[in-house]
């Protein structure tokens, strides 16, 4: 075996190792959220960046979405039931917060993986 | 030198039969690792050797016919497709590597790894999921291991066939 | 050269054969205006346009069920639950086959669940409904329905007084104060029928969720085992994760839980699932999930198991072939029926 062979083997091992570290040890949280209003996807935000954004439906209903530390939650809304505001912060692929009065759904998606949850019972 | 058609046919028959036999052997003794796509690739031994002793033009049909035969005999349409993709990529990568400073061992390693990469690329396209890349690091390592093994066997074979008194001119 | 051409041709043919197998994209649509709940549809289809078209067809199908099973609105020229509650005491009323089948299923399930699921409990449930609505609107003055009123209403809930005539598909209330409420089975029944219809006419693979009544069918090409992953909502809303995630296909997953619809009186939660015996919400469990082949049955069973004591519920589920259940208790623990674990996502 020549020196070139060892270099080749070394670089393959290196690439495999880096890939493995990246794929297997990065936590499987969702990577982004989608925001749907009345069934239409209106926004898509990465969970990795802290953001605050307000959404309004055509009837003046507003929800304030806050993304912080990789989790998304609704901090303010002018809906009557406030279920969306009381909902825990979401970060796992497939989780969602629904504001029924404003027909707003925030869903955590994982852009890399499609093996999250396809539907929710309950 | 010009060869007779009969000799060429006999040569191909011999090499294809040998690689097909190795495929069969491998089919009988699967590696117990439980990961789809990981195998020893014993038949690649014939392809690597042929590549060095006969050149690309003669090694190529051996590689393709071996994959088709083994795929039809031991696999299904999909496994055949994966093997073909892997086999073709592997062949051309080895062809390129042979022109570099790599020894037959390095060439075989490159072939083993690229075989797995080709397979996984086609699998990802067919299944329309990127999730399959999760197998990639494992398959890279496996390709490295099997390629190394094959290369370490192929290297002395090539050396002896070249140096020895074996009547190479029929090849 | 010829040889190489031949090989290339071979490759081309194989590639195409493999490619036309499952080459479909996956889409999702959400609706808010049917069955008073959130409906999501996820399916594999050829193009966004085809998916939208198929969704519109499914929506129309579901809307048919929605109108027939609607308890609060009447629709011009349509006999539905609302108009039956108004007219069926005066004499037999002919109804649509779908509504007749729902009521017939309701009578059947009344027997199998030992009376825990009763579509004739409208008088009691409407009391709870009115007090819950008022209590949600004005939480400071939230109150419970008076027991005397509940007991009075409970005199008119006999399933025997719901007279179904299969020959001419008519419905008649032998008790003039009888009121229907199909809430415990309507969504499951509609999901079952609409799901079967969608499988027949629209998609090879899809998952529909009618407010937590999930019907999944076909092979999910985006899952390594071809199954659909269904997250079971955790009744404990502070919990980080789903209570469980199950992988299913060609079957239904339905959850009944106290967190879905409730109001608070004097700091105590009162949910929408009312025990026909006590006339009050049950508190043994916080949620029950049922997996079985038929969504209507799963819906009814999940309500029944929510109300039945653990031992009786277990006996009922073990006696129902092909049905499995997961019970969540108020202390956060959960119990499973004997075969439930096989459905858990690997």
């Amino acid at each position: 075996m020549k020196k070139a062979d060892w270099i080749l083997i070394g670089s393959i091992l290196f690439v495999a190792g880096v890939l493995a570290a990246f794929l297997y040890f990065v936590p499987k949280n969702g990577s982004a959220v989608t925001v749907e209003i009345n069934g239409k996807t209106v926004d898509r935000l990465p969970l990795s960046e802290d953001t605050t954004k307000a959404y309004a439906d055509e009837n003046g209903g507003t929800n304030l979405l806050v993304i912080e530390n990789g989790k998304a939650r609704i901090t303010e809304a002018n809906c009557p039931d406030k279920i969306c505001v009381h909902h825990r912060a979401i970060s796992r692929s497939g989780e969602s917060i629904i504001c029924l009065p404003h027909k707003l759904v925030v869903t955590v998606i994982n852009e890399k993986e499609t093996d999250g949850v396809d539907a929710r019972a309950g | 030198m010009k060869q007779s058609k009969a000799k060429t046919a006999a040569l191909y028959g011999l090499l294809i039969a040998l690689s097909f036999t190795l495929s069969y052997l491998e089919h009988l003794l699967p590696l117990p690792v439980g990961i789809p796509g990981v195998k020893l690739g014993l038949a690649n031994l014939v392809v690597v050797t042929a590549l060095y002793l006969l050149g690309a033009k003669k090694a190529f049909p051996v590689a393709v016919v071996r994959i088709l035969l083994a795929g039809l005999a031991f696999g299904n349409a999909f496994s055949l497709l994966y093997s073909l993709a892997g086999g073709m990529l592997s062949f051309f990568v080895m062809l390129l590597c042979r022109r570099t400073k790599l020894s037959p061992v390095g060439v075989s390693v490159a072939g083993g790894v690229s075989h797995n990469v080709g397979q996984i690329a086609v699998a990802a396209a067919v299944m329309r999921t990127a999730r399959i890349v999760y197998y990639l690091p494992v398959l890279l390592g496996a390709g490295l291991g099997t390629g190394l093994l094959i290369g370490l066997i192929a290297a002395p074979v090539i050396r002896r066939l070249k140096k020895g008194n074996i009547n190479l001119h029929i090849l | 050269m010829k040889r190489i051409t031949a090989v290339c041709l071979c490759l081309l043919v194989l590639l195409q054969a493999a490619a036309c197998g499952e080459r479909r994209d996956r889409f999702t649509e959400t609706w808010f205006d049917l069955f008073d709940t959130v409906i999501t549809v996820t399916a594999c289809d050829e193009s966004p346009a085809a998916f939208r078209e198929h969704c519109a067809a499914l929506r129309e199908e579901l809307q048919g069920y929605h109108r027939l099973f609607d308890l609060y609105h009447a629709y011009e020229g349509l006999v539905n639950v609302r108009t039956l509650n108004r007219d069926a005491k005066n004499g037999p009323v002919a109804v649509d086959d779908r509504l007749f089948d729902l009521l017939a299923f309701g009578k059947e399930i009344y027997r199998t669940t030992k009376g825990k699921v009763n579509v004739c409990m409208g008088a009691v449930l409407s009391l709870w409904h009115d007090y819950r609505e008022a209590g949600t609107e004005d939480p400071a003055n939230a109150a419970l329905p008076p027991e005397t009123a509940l007991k009075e209403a409970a005199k008119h809930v006999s399933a025997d007084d719901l007279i179904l005539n299969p020959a001419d598909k008519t419905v008649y209330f032998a008790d003039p104060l009888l009121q229907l409420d199909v809430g415990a089975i309507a969504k499951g029944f509609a999901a079952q029928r609409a799901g079967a219809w969608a499988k027949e006419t629209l998609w090879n693979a899809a998952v529909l969720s009618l407010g937590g009544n999930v019907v999944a069918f076909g092979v999910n090409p985006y899952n390594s085992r071809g199954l659909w992953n269904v997250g079971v909502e955790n009744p404990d809303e502070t919990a980080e994760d789903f209570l469980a995630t199950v992988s299913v296909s060609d079957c239904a997953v339905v959850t009944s839980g106290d967190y879905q619809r409730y109001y608070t009186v004097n700091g105590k939660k009162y949910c929408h699932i009312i025990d026909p015996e006590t006339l009050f919400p049950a508190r043994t469990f916080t949620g029950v999930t049922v997996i079985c082949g038929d969504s209507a049955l799963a819906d009814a069973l999940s309500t029944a198991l929510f109300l039945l004591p653990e031992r009786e519920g277990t006996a009922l589920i073990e006696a129902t072939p092909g049905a499995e259940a997961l019970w969540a208790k108020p202390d956060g623990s959960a119990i499973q029926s004997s075969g439930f674990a096989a459905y858990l996502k690997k």
Side-chain angles (χ1 to χ4, degrees), chain A residues 1-2 4-5 8-9 12-13 15-16 19-20 23-24 28 112-115, chain B residues 101-103 105-106 109-110 113 129 131 133-134 136-138 140 144 148 152:
Chain A
M1 278 174 69
K2 296 186 198 165
D5 295 342
L8 178 74
I9 290 168
I12 290 168
L13 280 176
V15 169
L19 261 177
L23 289 174
Y24 302 151
K28 281 185 187 166
K112 293 184 200 90
E113 199 188 1
T114 54
D115 204 19
Chain B
K101 285 180 178 169
L102 292 169
S103 79
V105 180
V109 166
V113 170
T129 168
R131 231 176 67 79
V133 302
Y134 278 82
L136 194 53
V138 180
L140 282 182
L144 177 65
L148 195 60
L152 289 173

Side-chain angles (χ1 to χ4, degrees), chain B residues 94-113:
Chain B
M94 289 199 288
L95 197 60
L96 289 176
C97 287
R98 198 180 59 142
R99 297 183 187 159
T100 65
K101 285 180 178 169
L102 292 169
S103 79
V105 180
V107 169
S108 171
V109 166
V113 170

Side-chain angles (χ1 to χ4, degrees), chain A residues 8-57:
Chain A
L8 178 74
I9 290 168
S11 39
I12 290 168
L13 280 176
F14 178 75
V15 169
V18 169
L19 261 177
F22 187 73
L23 289 174
Y24 302 151
F25 299 112
V26 172
K28 281 185 187 166
N29 279 346
S31 58
V33 290
T34 57
V35 181
E36 280 173 65
I37 296 176
N38 204 0
K40 287 194 191 79
T41 306
V42 296
D43 212 348
R44 183 172 172 139
L45 302 166
L47 280 172
S48 52
E49 292 165 31
D50 290 0
T51 0
T52 302
K53 206 163 170 181
Y55 295 91
D57 69 0

Side-chain angles (χ1 to χ4, degrees), chain A:
Chain A
M1 278 174 69
K2 296 186 198 165
K3 195 177 158 194
D5 295 342
W6 289 110
I7 294 171
L8 178 74
I9 290 168
S11 39
I12 290 168
L13 280 176
F14 178 75
V15 169
V18 169
L19 261 177
F22 187 73
L23 289 174
Y24 302 151
F25 299 112
V26 172
K28 281 185 187 166
N29 279 346
S31 58
V33 290
T34 57
V35 181
E36 280 173 65
I37 296 176
N38 204 0
K40 287 194 191 79
T41 306
V42 296
D43 212 348
R44 183 172 172 139
L45 302 166
L47 280 172
S48 52
E49 292 165 31
D50 290 0
T51 0
T52 302
K53 206 163 170 181
Y55 295 91
D57 69 0
E58 58 224 64
N59 305 319
T62 58
N63 299 74
L64 191 67
L65 173 72
V66 173
I67 296 176
E68 214 172 55
N69 304 325
K71 290 183 174 192
R73 63 202 160 94
I74 303 277
T75 54
E76 278 173 46
N78 62 357
C79 54
D81 58 12
K82 300 274 192 288
I83 287 175
C84 56
V85 178
H86 295 138
H87 199 287
R88 64 174 185 272
I90 54 174
S91 60
R92 299 251 172 183
S93 183
E95 280 188 316
S96 60
I97 300 177
I98 296 172
C99 178
L100 198 51
H102 296 166
K103 301 182 178 180
L104 174 124
V105 185
V106 182
T107 313
V108 179
I109 53 160
N110 197 328
E111 287 164 315
K112 293 184 200 90
E113 199 188 1
T114 54
D115 204 19
V117 165
D118 304 304
R120 299 145 59 90

Side-chain angles (χ1 to χ4, degrees), chain B residues 77-78 81-82 84-85 122 125-126, chain C residues 8-21 23:
Chain B
F78 280 98
L81 182 71
Y82 299 154
L84 256 184
V122 171
V126 169
Chain C
C8 287
L9 273 176
C10 257
L11 251 173
L12 209 70
V13 170
L14 277 167
L15 268 168
Q16 286 212 311
C20 64
R23 211 159 192 115

Side-chain angles (χ1 to χ4, degrees), chain A residues 100, chain C residues 31-39 58-73 75 81 98 102 182-183 185-194 209-213 261 299:
Chain A
L100 198 51
Chain C
W31 305 318
F32 292 90
D33 49 354
L34 297 177
F35 291 96
D36 195 18
T37 189
V38 185
I39 299 179
L58 176 67
R59 205 185 132 81
E60 200 165 311
E61 183 77 7
L62 278 171
Q63 189 151 40
Y65 288 100
H66 168 77
R67 292 187 167 169
L68 284 168
F69 301 167
D70 198 328
L71 179 57
Y72 303 108
H73 300 97
Y75 300 89
V81 172
R98 290 171 284 181
L102 174 81
V182 294
I185 56 171
K187 279 187 284 180
F189 187 88
Q192 180 61 32
R193 290 285 181 97
S209 169
L210 266 73
N213 286 251
R261 213 159 275 177
D299 197 6

Side-chain angles (χ1 to χ4, degrees), chain B residues 15-71:
Chain B
L15 290 173
I16 289 168
L18 186 57
S19 60
F20 184 67
T21 310
L22 290 172
S23 293
Y24 181 58
L25 195 69
E26 196 167 277
H27 173 69
L28 289 179
L29 307 163
L31 285 183
V33 285
I35 298 166
V38 172
K39 43 185 180 184
L40 269 176
L42 282 176
N44 207 33
L45 188 58
V46 179
V47 178
V48 175
T49 314
L51 193 60
Y52 270 88
L53 296 178
L54 309 178
K57 269 191 195 147
K58 284 178 183 165
F60 186 72
V62 175
V64 173
V65 174
R66 197 280 303 174
I67 291 166
L68 288 177
L69 273 179

